[in-house]
Amino acid sequence: MKKNWVKKLLIGFGILFGIVLIANFGLNIWLKTQLPDYIKKNTDYKVSYQSLDVDLGTGNIFATGITVNNKNPQNVNVIGLQGTIDTLKISRFGIYDAIFNKVISSSDLLLAKPNLNIILAKPVDKKTGKKRNPVMFENIRINKGTINVFKHTKQKFIGVDQLDLYVDNLQMTEESVENKLPVIFDKYNIRGKDFFFQPDDIYTLKISQITTTNGQMSVENFQLMPLISFEQFKKAYPRKTQMFEFDIPKMNFKDVVLKKNKVSLANADFQNPYLKVYKTGISAIKKAGKKQNFELNLDDIKLNNAKVQILKPDETDLFFAENLNVNVNKLEFTKESSKEVIPVLYKDFKIAGKGIHYNDAQNILIEKFSLNPKGGQIRNIIAKPTHSTGMGMDFKTNLVQFNINEFKFIDKKLNLDVKDVLVDGINGKIVAGKAVPKKKTAVRGIQFPMVVRKISLKNSNLTYESQNQPLTFNDLNATINQFELIENKAKNGIAVKIKDYAVTTKNFVYKTRFYKMNAGNLALNKNKIEINQFAMSPLVSRAQFIRMIPVERDLYDIKVNQISAQGNWDLFSENKSINATNVTIHSVNANIFRSKIPADDPKIKPLYSRMLRSIKIPMYISNLNLKNSVLEYEEDTPKSSGPGKLTFSNFNMNVKNLNSAKMKGKPTYVQIKIDCMFMKSSPLSVNWGFNTADQSDHFTIAGNLDNISATALNTFIVPYLSVSATGTIQKMLFSFKGNPKGIGGTFNIKHKDLKISILDKKSKEKKGVLSAVANIFIKSDSDKFPESVVVEGVERDPTKSFFNMFWKGIEDGLKKTLIGINVDKTKKTFDGAVNTVKDVKGGVQDAKKSLNNAKKDISEAFSDPNSAEKPKQNPDKEQPKEKKGLFKKIFKKKENPETE
């Protein structure tokens, strides 16, 4: 029984095997005789072959001498095939899927010596078209192939010669490339020559040769070249921002892996790459970014001896790097990193370069540099100005070096902590550009505070020029500790905070339109200032100065032996302040010159308390001392024969509580004590005070002058007033109070043998008669110490300085003391005396003429002290001449429009 069952089973298998053999034999006969006609009738292709074997059981297909062509080459809706294949071998061909599911699949595909031209079908309309039937081959081998792929427009798309290709576990999908890569595989091996790829109408990519050995791929003469000129590119693509050009003679990499949405490769090495970028000048239009699902992992990437060139729209260099070497370890581009400011992650990098050139708003050359995550170094920077209206730099720097504690982005904000920065040997000039109104914009890309823990500037000679006023630092050395950029929320910007700093320089020079200011040595830190051999010298002569100024202005010539200050001050942060305990100025020699030839300055001059109050920052100086100094004031008029001069020698001044009324807890009453020698012979002492917090600007000033010879005043009054004096002022006391409207108080003078001589303005000869009449009304001796006179009703001209008002008070006291308190009565007596002289000399014409002149001149001398000389407004209409007091001319001091 058992033998019958076995026998029947074997007979069944034999019959089945026979059927399969017969079917396989029949299929092969059919394929050899009928397949070409079947393909021709039922497909879009014509195929012929020398031999064809098909194993129905295994699905293996083997064919030789294959020729394929399209029946209708004009049909762009199907893939076009034209060419020959020496040998075709397909293992485990899915015959059932091919017949019933129209899916071509195989475990292995071998093409030996294929010479094919492939024309891609016209792309399917994404909205209405159907998907193409997929083609799936697990493993592909191509030996010695020549393949050219064309677009449906007959434009060449891909080409390769002598192609040897092996791909293991190849998978192709029609899924969107946003989700998956269109082609992925496990292993590959490729070798070929003359690769060609033209993705669009702008670029073509060419490779001379690709070889692969043990997973190591070598690519020679990689070129991405534009098909059109840059001018054609700008016209054809007006919205594109840039055009590229690549040339890489050789590159190597290994372990290329394509899986799902991830591309990986290791040890990428690019030899002598050349990147060229053409900038069109068009700003990029920001678009809503699509979600990026690709990931890129580069284990190591190296660029050796790279050249990078970026061209402006006029095809001149914007940037050129002659020699760049880049080494990046563990470079990654992921979904998460793509959202950051720097869209890549890395473990480490090193960048070094030589021959760097940048030319835009500034022309900058760098001999060489190196950079890594922990710091960098730049050697021999040369900056040259361009024609830009912005800041212009013309300097050379030997070395810039920095070390970084931390550099990273957190939540799209830069987190930067720099350990130190060194700038050594910067020599040259920086010119400020035109001022541009600052816009208040919030700073979003910085994680505050941004810290630089130490900045050092060494061995430098630098000039900074703004508005044609150069500021020069020679032998400059500076150190800044704990430099921080902090957020200024109130002003939507950035503020600076500095913990400590120190600056030293020699031969410091600053030039303005009229002056050169220089110092032998300058040392500055947050607690101390020392300046030696300071000078402020005119760059123009007095005559040139007068011609250059539109209104009256002082010309200074100042020399200072030493300036020192102690305290603490903040000059850089948002909350600036000056709080000094002591400021000492040694041995000042100052000359102040003013000409009355230019027109008066019509601006209102504030008093000193208001000027100090207008300082915007809190400022307080406990003690300011001016020691052992000389001050000279010179003034000339259109009618004077040279300037008159006042001299204050051995000048010592102490100022307490100099302030801007903005520092809490500090006194605001300013006390000024002055002791000096007036006209090199007479002690002068002055006490002056005012309160900067007093909005009404009241002040007091009192002092005394001892034993001044009237002849000492002649250096001022002879050239200025054509008057000389003899005698002695034994003591002069004054005590005034005032405000911006005027001045008043008491005045007392003791004098002896005081007489004056009125001189001819040209010859300086004495006018006897006029001098005699004038001395009639001057009390030559005060005898015993007289009583004080009251100075009152002296009004201030708001366009004049404080000292102008002060001298008016002195003048009023002198007139009331010397010619009597009732000035109007004295003037009438004087007029009567003149008439008497006229009667006596009435018969002599020359004497009469002299007396008339005397009456006119002396009347002017003792006229109203508040009258002011006014220029003629209409040359055709005669204006009355001003009457000036004699002592008003002697003691009058004009304002300083620069400081008042």
Side-chain angles (χ1 to χ4, degrees), residues 19 80 85 98 239 265 282 354 573 707 818 837:
I19 293 172
I85 302 174
R239 294 186 178 180
L265 60 88
I282 305 299
K354 297 179 182 179
S573 74
N707 295 322
L818 296 178
V837 174

Side-chain angles (χ1 to χ4, degrees), residues 496-499 501 525-527 567-579 617-618:
V496 174
K497 182 179 178 181
I498 294 176
K499 181 180 179 180
Y501 60 89
N525 59 46
K526 64 178 297 183
N527 301 115
N568 59 79
W569 34 80
D570 184 350
L571 305 177
F572 301 101
S573 74
E574 183 181 0
N575 301 315
K576 296 178 177 64
S577 65
I578 298 174
N579 185 5
I617 66 173

Side-chain angles (χ1 to χ4, degrees), residues 373-376 401-406 417-422:
K374 292 299 182 181
Q401 184 172 291
F402 55 91
N403 294 292
I404 300 173
N405 290 327
E406 188 172 44
D417 185 337
V418 179
K419 181 180 179 181
D420 55 57
V421 176
L422 168 65

Side-chain angles (χ1 to χ4, degrees), residues 391-395 426 428-433 462-466 469-471:
M391 178 180 290
M393 298 184 290
D394 186 358
F395 65 79
I426 178 170
K429 184 177 182 180
I430 299 175
V431 180
L462 188 62
T463 296
Y464 176 78
E465 182 176 318
S466 178
Q469 296 184 171
L471 173 62

Side-chain angles (χ1 to χ4, degrees), residues 645-646 678-682 708-717 725 727:
K645 179 185 290 188
L646 295 175
F678 180 61
M679 302 305 286
K680 300 182 180 180
S681 60
S682 305
I708 180 170
S709 170
T711 56
L713 297 175
N714 288 340
T715 57
F716 181 77
I717 63 176

Side-chain angles (χ1 to χ4, degrees), residues 75-80 119-124 132 150-152:
N75 186 359
V76 297
N77 293 316
V78 297
I79 294 177
I119 303 173
L120 300 177
K122 186 176 181 179
V124 175
R132 306 294 184 195
F150 298 85
K151 295 183 179 180
H152 72 282

